[in-house]
Amino acid sequence: MARTPTTFPRLDRRLVAVMALASGLVVANSYYAQPLVGSIAESFDASTSEVGLVVTAGQVGYALGLALLVPVGDMVERRRLLRWMLAATAAALLMMAWSPTWQTLAASAILVSTGSVVGQILVPFAATLAHDDERGRVIGNVMTGLLLGILLSRVIAGLIAEIAGWRAVFVCAAVLMLITMCLIHTLPVSAPTTDSGYRALLASVVRLVTTEPVLRQRIAYGALTYASFGVFWTTVGFLLAGPNYEWSQAQIGVFTLFGVAGALAARVAGSLADRGYSRQQTGVFVAVTATSFFLLGVGEHHVIALAVGVALLDLGIQGTHISNQSLIYPLRPDARSRLNTAYMTCYFLAGSLGSVLSTVAYFTGGWRAVCVLGGFFPACGVLLWIREMCGSAGSPREVGVEQQANGT
């Protein structure tokens, strides 16, 4: 049974900054291991392919957290839920730091990534705390923190590992989780929005997908763009480490910082969404995502084209993502965590599919095949958007949602 959502005073910048910082600190846990595979393999006298399963285990854990933990944000008081998750994540990070084998490390990585969906609980929490006319901006700011956490995590992990070894990375991460617990304590209490039991809660996620056409449409845009993200970032390391560039792991890690354009796009897209441009800007951002793969293709031999392509890719993907969220959260104010579960689970699965297909494309057709595949997904999204805009001015349901999100 749904409850009437609590009305909160207008958010001040301090609380938004706290949620953005907490999101970035926690999401980084899922990415620290990526640049450390070689060091970990050497420590355990294992192959890099075996230790690579630690990264895969993290992806599995994150998917489990999305499906099983994020919906609980509608059922229990969010601040208390977040504190318990952070405490468990800190303990699992210490298990990673002192793992005697790579198998234990992989098992601990599942627990860490399951708990690291804190950011996916904080985003709908921020949407709940925000007023209608500021929701897009608030979501954009929190997502900026989350994206910066992803971008900086690999670089920071490499620096700490070089100074103190790879185990120190996870000890430091555990300490950061304890600090994040203190940050979370400053957030307001948020009453549960449903009396449903856990099983009914999970079942309602499926019902939301079947009964909310705007949610299904936004899932499609998100999936098509994030699949291209998986396509690019899975294989770009092969290109940069290959004969055309022959870059070191440190150079590759620094190169990922060109993705900071995605963090900037989150802020801009959120502000425009508050002005009622969510549907219009969706087409622009999806088209930017598709166009980026032309430059990424040229970037096989030209680093400047590759860098600009990366910036455009992340700008397009994150702009689309924020536009989607600004239209999804007003659909059911009592079910924002479950809306996020439905959207993000499909989003994450699409990225995983893109990763798998990208590997096949690279080893069968090279970098050019990767770029064709990556451009295909958002190109389909552009066609979907054109059909939506030409078919009508928007369904009554979607127009009403956009007006509600815009506070009109």
Side-chain angles (χ1 to χ4, degrees):
M1 178 180 177
R3 298 180 181 177
T4 302
T6 305
T7 301
F8 296 93
R10 187 171 292 274
L11 272 173
D12 62 43
R13 293 183 178 180
R14 180 185 61 83
L15 289 179
V16 177
V18 165
M19 289 186 284
L21 179 59
S23 296
L25 290 174
V26 178
V27 77
N29 294 330
S30 298
Y31 297 89
Y32 287 135
Q34 291 184 0
L36 307 178
V37 170
S39 300
I40 294 172
E42 183 178 350
S43 174
F44 291 129
D45 194 23
S47 67
T48 53
S49 60
E50 288 175 327
V51 177
L53 292 175
V54 174
V55 177
T56 303
Q59 294 177 333
V60 171
Y62 200 79
L64 290 173
L66 284 173
L68 303 179
L69 289 182
V70 172
V72 180
D74 290 332
M75 189 174 70
V76 303
E77 200 279 306
R78 287 190 178 98
R79 197 173 65 169
R80 183 177 63 180
L81 172 64
L82 291 171
R83 286 201 301 264
W84 277 105
M85 289 175 63
L86 289 167
T89 303
L93 283 164
L94 292 177
M95 289 172 58
M96 291 187 73
W98 289 307
S99 294
T101 65
W102 70 263
Q103 291 93 337
T104 306
L105 188 71
S108 302
I110 293 178
L111 298 177
V112 168
S113 293
T114 300
S116 293
V117 295
V118 162
Q120 301 305 330
I121 295 174
L122 279 171
V123 173
F125 190 10
T128 298
L129 295 175
H131 288 203
D132 290 343
D133 62 345
E134 64 178 354
R135 184 167 293 120
R137 177 180 59 81
V138 169
I139 293 172
N141 286 336
V142 175
M143 283 299 301
T144 296
L146 188 146
L147 295 169
L148 288 175
I150 294 173
L151 290 170
L152 296 175
S153 59
R154 301 179 183 93
V155 178
I156 292 172
L159 292 175
I160 295 175
E162 188 171 339
I163 295 170
W166 67 264
R167 295 182 186 272
V169 174
F170 300 110
V171 173
C172 291
V175 173
L176 289 176
M177 292 306 95
L178 298 179
I179 294 173
T180 306
M181 287 178 65
C182 298
L183 293 174
I184 292 298
H185 189 70
T186 65
L187 299 179
V189 174
S190 172
T193 56
T194 180
D195 294 322
S196 301
Y198 183 65
R199 185 176 298 179
L201 192 77
L202 295 184
S204 68
V205 174
V206 178
R207 284 198 300 274
L208 284 171
V209 176
T210 59
T211 59
E212 295 289 351
V214 175
L215 175 60
R216 293 196 299 272
Q217 186 176 62
R218 292 290 141 180
I219 284 174
Y221 287 129
L224 288 169
T225 51
Y226 198 62
S228 67
F229 181 92
V231 168
F232 174 76
W233 285 108
T234 298
T235 51
V236 68
F238 299 147
L239 173 68
L240 296 177
N244 289 343
Y245 286 92
E246 296 183 336
W247 283 6
S248 67
Q249 289 298 311
Q251 289 174 307
I252 294 173
V254 171
F255 181 77
T256 64
L257 294 179
F258 281 103
V260 74
L264 299 177
R267 297 182 61 124
V268 174
S271 296
L272 290 173
D274 286 336
R275 300 176 188 175
Y277 296 113
S278 296
R279 293 176 63 243
Q280 295 89 335
Q281 71 184 12
T282 297
V284 175
F285 283 123
V286 175
V288 167
T289 306
T291 303
S292 70
F293 278 92
F294 171 77
L295 287 172
L296 294 173
V298 176
E300 183 176 10
H301 302 286
H302 302 280
V303 68
I304 294 177
L306 191 68
V308 175
V310 169
L312 290 178
L313 174 68
D314 277 19
L315 186 150
I317 290 171
Q318 299 309 327
T320 305
H321 185 51
I322 300 302
S323 302
N324 290 340
Q325 289 178 314
S326 69
L327 289 173
I328 287 171
Y329 290 134
L331 291 171
R332 287 280 304 276
D334 63 307
R336 286 188 171 122
S337 287
R338 283 166 285 169
L339 288 168
N340 200 43
T341 292
Y343 174 75
M344 287 304 302
T345 299
C346 296
Y347 194 76
F348 185 82
L349 289 175
S352 299
L353 175 63
S355 295
V356 172
L357 295 178
S358 177
T359 302
V360 175
Y362 185 83
F363 287 108
T364 56
W367 184 246
R368 189 165 298 178
V370 169
C371 292
V372 170
L373 174 66
F376 170 77
F377 290 114
C380 291
V382 171
L383 294 177
L384 179 64
W385 179 79
I386 292 173
R387 178 183 176 186
E388 174 197 346
M389 301 302 288
C390 292
S392 66
S395 68
R397 174 63 167 150
E398 185 165 23
V399 172
V401 167
E402 188 157 24
Q403 290 175 341
Q404 181 183 353
N406 194 31
T408 60

